[in-house]
Each structure stands twice: as structure tokens, then as C-alpha cells.
Amino acid sequence: MKKTINQSLSILAALLFVVSSTVVAQQSDYQIQQDFRAEYSELVNRVDNAVSSEDLEGLNADIDGLEAEYSEYSDIIDAALYPETFSENISDLRSRYAASEQNISVIEQLNERIRGMMEELDQFRNQMANLDEEQADLKQQLDRSSANERRQAALIRQYRQNLEQRDAFVTEFLENLMTKYQSMDASTQSEISDAAERLEDNPVEVLKTIISEYTSTADQSSDLSSADYLAMRAQHGYFVDVWNRIGDRLTNTFTPDSPVQERQEVSDLLAAYQASVDNKLWNALSTSFNQNGIELGSFTSSDTFFDAIGIYVGNAAEAALESNSEEDYEAYRNFANYWNSTVKGEWGELLIEGNVLTTAQMAEVDVQLGTWGENAPPTSNLMFILFLISLAVILGLVVLLVTKKS
């Protein structure tokens, strides 16, 4: 009896040991699964919430450590993660890390680009402000110096130099814009657009400011020559060319919410700038021609300016053909000299760049001028005079002979 009881107790103890071992093993497996899940979730949060390279530091090593620590328990973890697996979780974590690293790299590059752009715009604004201040000071001095012609001439030269410096500076800025944005693809536009929201002034706004200031300069300018206003017209032509090349990309990048409206605003500003320049240009050109003894008909546009020159040359050529006077010939020489030395020689490039005259139109005037030149020289009276002299001599001899016979 006693022996039976001892055997029963032994069996019970063995069963208790097996059960307790199984429970401990189950608790240990469960703890491994829970620990893996907790560490995995922490790493996922760190990767997904990273916003800088500093946030990613050490994360790759921690992922390697997680894989090394739990790889021997992969079967246990697979059972808890089903239908997912331990390997899939590690792969997903690495993919998240790679994507986050790429995104952060792009963001930091864009941030650097934006910082550079902000510095460029700040430098541009400061330089423009200095040029504007110098220009305003020169304008005030010009207004006060009307009584002193020599001083006024010197101030006008300084004023022109200021305009030339401004043109060169703005041209460099626009060339830089074209280099950066002329070949920019849609993906890059979108990336920059997201980052550019932090800019106080974007290139589109800066460009609008530039055009407005040029318009103001044209409105306020006085005592400038035809060449000065032609230079303004040429600068306007350059603005139009730049805008046609990169306007769409700039507005799509920096004003994505209203690109069409922004493009229209810039186009309107360019039209206003041309109108301000033209308001002074046509009068200046007419005065220049008149001061050189060439009275053209009235003109208020590029087309009517070309027509006025053509009518003047055509009428003069016809008049020369009819009268062949020395006066007509002098008018031809005066116009030819002014046309070749000043209009074509000094203004030629500005006329073309400012869309005032085309190369073909100037060539057409040259052809008309050639016809005028053929008709202009006065017909020589020398032969007629020699004929009269010869006739007089002959008559004299006849009279002399008749007298001797008598």
C-alpha cells in the first residue's frame, strides 16, 4: 500500500514537472514574441518619424541588432506573426529606413537650395536698392542742375552709367534664372514648389518688382537720348524673351496655386513697361532725325516708324529724279551719312533687339537709299556749255571770214 502511494506521488511529481516546464517554456516564448514586437514597433516609429539625418543616425545598426538578436527565434516569432514572418518584418523595416533616408536626403538638398536662393534674392534686392538709391539721387541732381549745362551733361552721363549697370546686373540675374529653370522637369518643379513655400519673395515676385521699377524709371526719365530709350526698348525685348522661355516653369514652380493669373500679371507689367518706354522713344527718334535735317512724317509705333522712313526716302528719290539739283544731292548725302553712321552704326543692334526695326526692314531701306543715290547726282551742264562755246567760236570765225572778204 505504502509502495503504491509512493509510486503515485512520483508520477504526480513528474507530471507537475512536465506541466511546469511547459508553462515556463510557453511563458518564455510569449515573452520573446512580445519583446520582438515592442522593439520592432519602436524602430518603426523612429524610422517613420525621422525628419533629419541626425534622426537616422544609429538606426541602421539598431535594425541589424534586432535581426541578430531574434533570428534564432524566428520560428517562434513566425508563429505569432502569421501570416507575416520575421524575415518580412525585418525587410519591411529596412525598406522603411531606405525610403526615409532618401526622402530626408531630398528634403535637405531642397532646403539647401532654398537657403541658397534666399541668399541670392537678398543680395539681389540689396544691390537693386543701392542702384535705385543712386538713380534717385542722380535724378534729383538733374532736376536741380538745369541752369548749369556742363554739370547737367556730367550728371546725365552718370545717370546713363547707372542705367547700364542696372541692365547688366539684372541681365546676370535673369541669365542665372534661365540656367536653373529652362530645362527643369515637372518632378523637380514639384519638389522645389513644396520647399519654396518658405521663401518670403520668390523669383516671380522679384521679377515683377524689377519690371515695375524699370517702368517707373522710364516714366521719370528726362533729357535722355534716342539711344538711351532704344536701350530701354532692347531691355524690354530681353525681358520678354526670358519670360517666354522660363515663365511657365517659374509660375508652375513658385506659384502653383495660380500660375495662369501670375503669368498674366507679368505680361501686363511687360506691356506697361513697353508703353512707358514708347511714350518717350518715338518723340526722341523724331527729334533726332529733325535735328539732323531729316523731317520724317509722324509715327507712334515700330511699323509707322518704318513707314515714315520709307516714305521719306521714296519721295526724295522721285524728287531727285525730276530735278537733279545740287540741293537734292546734298539731302541724299545728309540722310545716307546719318542712316549709315548713326541709325545703323550706333543704334543697329538696339533697334533689332528692341523690335523697332528688323534686319530685313533695314535692308529694304538700304535698297531704297541705293535708288535715291543713283538719282541724286545733278546732271552735268558742262557739255552744253562747251557746245555753246564751240558754236560761238564757229560763228565768230564765220563773221571774221565774211568781214575779210568784204
Side-chain angles (χ1 to χ4, degrees), residues 62-113:
D62 291 343
I63 294 172
D64 291 340
L66 179 70
E67 182 180 26
E69 181 181 356
Y70 289 98
S71 60
E72 61 180 304
Y73 307 112
S74 60
D75 292 340
I76 297 172
I77 296 172
D78 287 348
L81 296 177
Y82 183 82
E84 297 178 5
T85 65
F86 170 78
S87 296
E88 289 174 350
N89 272 217
I90 295 298
S91 295
D92 177 67
L93 191 52
R94 292 192 189 283
S95 296
R96 288 171 181 263
Y97 175 84
S100 182
E101 185 179 41
Q102 176 65 25
N103 290 337
I104 288 174
S105 175
V106 170
I107 290 172
E108 289 182 343
Q109 289 176 12
L110 289 173
N111 286 339
E112 185 64 28
R113 185 180 294 183

Side-chain angles (χ1 to χ4, degrees), residues 281-322:
L281 173 62
W282 308 126
N283 288 333
L285 285 174
S286 180
T287 299
S288 295
F289 275 86
N290 287 340
Q291 288 175 345
N292 285 273
I294 303 168
E295 297 184 7
L296 300 180
S298 62
F299 53 89
T300 56
S301 67
S302 298
D303 291 338
T304 55
F305 175 54
F306 172 66
D307 291 341
I309 294 175
I311 292 171
Y312 178 87
V313 174
N315 290 343
E318 290 181 6
L321 182 62
E322 292 178 2

